[in-house]
Amino acid sequence: MWEIISNSLGATMEITCDSYPLFQGETNLSNGTRAFLYLLGLAYCFIGLSAITSKFFHSMENMMRQTKKVVQIDPDTNLPVVKEEKCWNYTIADISLLAFGTSFPQISLATIDAIRNIGQLTAGGLGPGTLVGSAAFDLFPIHAVCVVVPRAGSLKKISDLGVWLVELFWSFWAYIWLYIILEVWTPNVVTLWEALLTVLQFGLLLFHAYAQDKRWPYLSFPFERSERPEDWVPQASAYNEGTEECNDSCEVLEVGQNSDENIVDIFSVHASASGAIYQNVPGSDTEEPTKRKIVEQDLDILSIWKQQFINALMLGHAESKMESVYIRALRIIWELMLFPWRILFAFVPPYQIAHGWIAFICSLVFISGIAYVVTKLTDQISCVTGINPYVIAFTALASGTSWPDLVASKIAAERQITADSAIANITCSNSVNIYVGIGVPWLIDTVYNYFVLREPLYINNAEGLSFSLLVFFATSAGCITVLVLRRLILGAELGGPRLWAWVTSIYFMLLWVVFVVLSSLRVSGII
């Protein structure tokens, strides 16, 4: 049985609903049952994305600890002095590693969609729909969560307004640029040069942000930087998969009474004067957490890798005596759901190898594999329900693939002393979504069309995508205005009086609902 559905760009395509991605015989079920099963499969893939994100973050942490030796001349003695400096700049790390990494599920999905579409004159819509929807999810729901995360009354502001303004400018320009491509420069068509310029602008973002961070003349805003932590990651690892009785879902507890300082995780990292890093370790169910020094030691990589599999086979953590039977049952169910993912991701090499680069790359490979499964399930959902794939893309897919963004920004807002990484992750992810997430897939298709088909890449329903961009631009202006007002009135973008924090959060969520509803109605042809 074949069903004809309309893809996200308005073109007509055929997708067989006789395939059975889950199990043989599922085609005998009703379309409603099949849609429900596919949605469950989609949700389980999103759980997998959350699980592999932990591996990804550990590898990124180790990459950021990498240092290099720099020879400098002492001005007093004129003798050479060897110093160690971090290879990664704080701002560049936020943009290239944090933002790119958390956006990789969407980027991978869009790239797979483009590869499947090679040889077609019209572009696929699953990728662009997911990325535009992800941008809205990043800007509204994630801001809504971050603004209420700090403790009641505590304020967390952006310490480097100059860098944030640069990131904000390139974030807004990304969507203006996309609108120019679709409606002004070459309406309904994407050329090879437009796709190439889109990708190259990511390099301009990195250059401009670095220039602002270094306060280069003529290329930076004259804003002073306040209490931003100097180190993006700790000097010594506070988490050891091979020696600690802890798996990927463990939380590192806070140190001391001030939860805003000396917290060991990949976002909030501070070293003491002696360079030692500490971590709270619970002694028993009744004992208070005790402070323990993390010391560097020679690591047996094979033993650590073996321990990853042992940890994956161990279900559950130590249970608190205060937990109810229902909480314990839910914990067991959750552990059983994670079990297949944990076994699979145990094959990722330990992040201690090659400064984490191998684990980093392997994590991205696993993310790409999950993204491919997501595209197949989305095809089936659209086929059996008749729902426009574009609507599925910027609602369900955008929310699910943006989960790493939400987790990253929440942790940063909760544990960093400033709001820089939490908000930078949002604005930079939006830029990455366009310059890389849409630019690279379009570049793949336009290169093939240019050299093989001698045709540009056509966008059949550019009006619908352009309408979504206009709605996003209008609602995002409302979001940024409120952040600026909070800075002027309360002195910070995040936190503050609990009532006003919740009012701001609800306002951001309403903006997201407006975007989703209007865009869905437009792409479905209702308005």
Side-chain angles (χ1 to χ4, degrees):
M1 178 185 67
W2 292 80
E3 295 185 13
I4 307 298
I5 66 170
S6 175
N7 71 357
S8 60
L9 297 172
T12 299
M13 60 183 294
E14 290 185 338
I15 296 181
T16 178
C17 292
D18 283 339
S19 59
Y20 38 90
L22 299 182
F23 57 87
Q24 189 172 3
E26 69 185 61
T27 53
N28 297 325
L29 302 175
S30 66
N31 285 346
T33 303
R34 294 178 66 186
F36 177 73
L37 292 176
Y38 296 146
L39 286 173
L40 287 181
L42 206 60
Y44 195 62
C45 286
F46 294 152
I47 293 175
L49 285 176
S50 299
I52 191 61
T53 297
S54 174
K55 294 281 186 182
F56 171 82
F57 281 149
H58 284 311
S59 63
M60 183 171 65
E61 175 191 21
N62 226 34
M63 291 164 58
M64 286 303 305
R65 284 199 303 271
Q66 186 177 359
T67 59
K68 61 182 178 181
K69 292 184 178 180
V70 178
V71 179
Q72 298 178 346
I73 302 298
D74 190 315
D76 298 325
T77 63
N78 289 327
L79 296 176
V81 178
V82 179
K83 295 183 178 180
E84 285 196 356
E85 294 183 357
K86 292 188 179 298
C87 296
W88 286 89
N89 173 267
Y90 188 100
T91 298
I92 298 302
D94 273 342
I95 299 175
S96 59
L97 289 183
L98 181 59
F100 179 81
T102 54
S103 296
F104 193 78
Q106 303 96 297
I107 296 171
S108 179
L109 189 147
T111 304
I112 292 172
D113 187 46
I115 294 174
R116 295 193 310 166
N117 197 65
I118 284 181
Q120 304 293 324
L121 290 178
T122 57
L126 189 62
T130 302
L131 289 163
V132 173
S134 176
F137 188 91
D138 287 349
L139 193 63
F140 305 129
I142 295 182
H143 265 125
V145 171
C146 289
V147 78
V148 298
V149 161
R151 296 193 309 272
S154 65
L155 295 169
K156 296 189 178 183
K157 65 180 182 179
I158 299 172
S159 66
D160 198 333
L161 280 175
V163 170
W164 179 66
L165 288 175
V166 169
E167 295 166 345
L168 187 65
F169 164 78
W170 285 100
S171 175
F172 271 90
W173 168 249
Y175 293 91
I176 295 174
W177 168 253
L178 191 58
Y179 184 85
I180 291 174
I181 291 176
L182 296 174
E183 293 292 337
V184 180
W185 198 346
T186 54
N188 303 324
V189 169
V190 176
T191 66
L192 173 60
W193 303 113
E194 289 172 337
L196 184 60
L197 286 174
T198 302
V199 175
L200 291 178
Q201 287 182 73
F202 180 67
L204 292 178
L205 163 62
L206 290 174
F207 174 79
H208 195 185
Y210 184 79
Q212 177 63 45
D213 184 77
K214 296 300 183 180
R215 298 303 193 270
W216 289 354
Y218 309 109
L219 292 175
S220 60
F221 297 106
F223 289 104
E224 295 294 330
R225 180 186 298 129
S226 57
E227 67 281 1
R228 188 187 75 178
E230 290 298 324
D231 291 333
W232 199 78
V233 293
Q235 296 293 330
S237 177
Y239 177 87
N240 188 325
E241 287 180 324
T243 59
E244 299 296 327
E245 294 182 356
C246 180
N247 61 26
D248 292 334
S249 56
C250 285
E251 290 187 6
V252 179
L253 301 178
E254 299 173 356
V255 176
Q257 295 180 351
N258 187 352
S259 63
D260 291 335
E261 296 180 357
N262 299 326
I263 303 165
V264 185
D265 60 64
I266 66 166
F267 301 101
S268 178
V269 287
H270 309 278
S272 65
S274 62
I277 300 299
Y278 294 90
Q279 175 187 24
N280 277 341
V281 181
S284 66
D285 290 333
T286 57
E287 294 178 358
E288 292 293 327
T290 58
K291 186 177 290 188
R292 181 175 52 154
K293 185 175 180 179
I294 307 298
V295 296
E296 295 186 11
Q297 57 183 350
D298 294 333
L299 300 175
D300 185 345
I301 299 301
L302 291 179
S303 297
I304 295 175
W305 205 341
K306 177 183 176 182
Q307 189 65 34
Q308 289 184 176
F309 287 93
I310 295 175
N311 290 340
L313 292 171
M314 296 173 60
L315 296 180
H317 312 292
E319 298 177 351
S320 172
K321 296 178 180 178
M322 302 300 293
E323 285 185 353
S324 67
V325 176
Y326 302 104
I327 296 298
R328 293 181 182 180
L330 290 175
R331 185 190 296 275
I332 292 174
I333 293 173
W334 178 251
E335 292 288 342
L336 290 174
M337 292 176 60
L338 284 177
F339 181 74
W341 291 122
R342 289 167 57 179
I343 292 294
L344 179 63
F345 299 148
F347 286 95
V348 175
Y351 62 85
Q352 290 88 348
I353 301 176
H355 300 290
W357 279 101
I358 297 178
F360 183 84
I361 295 172
C362 289
S363 298
L364 296 186
V365 171
F366 274 109
I367 290 174
S368 298
I370 297 174
Y372 176 76
V373 176
V374 166
T375 59
K376 303 298 289 185
L377 289 174
T378 304
D379 285 343
Q380 292 298 112
I381 292 173
S382 180
C383 185
V384 299
T385 62
I387 299 176
N388 193 306
Y390 189 87
V391 176
I392 299 175
F394 66 67
T395 53
L397 290 186
S399 301
T401 55
S402 294
W403 187 255
D405 283 312
L406 175 61
V407 173
S409 290
K410 176 184 177 295
I411 293 175
E414 185 177 40
R415 299 181 177 180
Q416 254 195 353
I417 62 174
T418 69
D420 290 72
S421 288
I423 294 181
N425 181 49
I426 296 171
T427 53
C428 293
S429 292
N430 286 351
S431 299
V432 170
N433 283 344
I434 298 299
Y435 300 135
V436 181
I438 290 182
V440 169
W442 278 357
L443 184 61
I444 292 172
D445 285 340
T446 53
V447 166
Y448 183 89
N449 287 12
Y450 181 84
F451 289 103
V452 178
L453 303 181
R454 302 294 180 180
E455 292 282 350
L457 186 66
Y458 294 93
I459 311 295
N460 286 337
N461 193 22
E463 294 82 4
L465 187 58
S466 300
F467 179 82
S468 296
L469 291 173
L470 290 176
V471 174
F472 173 78
F473 193 81
T475 50
S476 60
C479 175
I480 299 302
T481 299
V482 168
L483 289 177
V484 173
L485 290 175
R486 285 179 57 86
R487 179 65 177 248
L488 295 176
I489 298 174
L490 301 177
E493 291 79 13
L494 305 181
R498 184 57 60 185
L499 174 62
W500 290 111
W502 277 105
V503 169
T504 306
S505 178
I506 294 172
Y507 170 73
F508 288 158
M509 290 302 299
L510 288 176
L511 290 178
W512 183 62
V513 172
V514 169
F515 168 81
V516 170
V517 171
L518 291 180
S519 298
S520 298
L521 293 176
R522 173 70 176 188
V523 78
S524 299
I526 299 177
I527 61 174

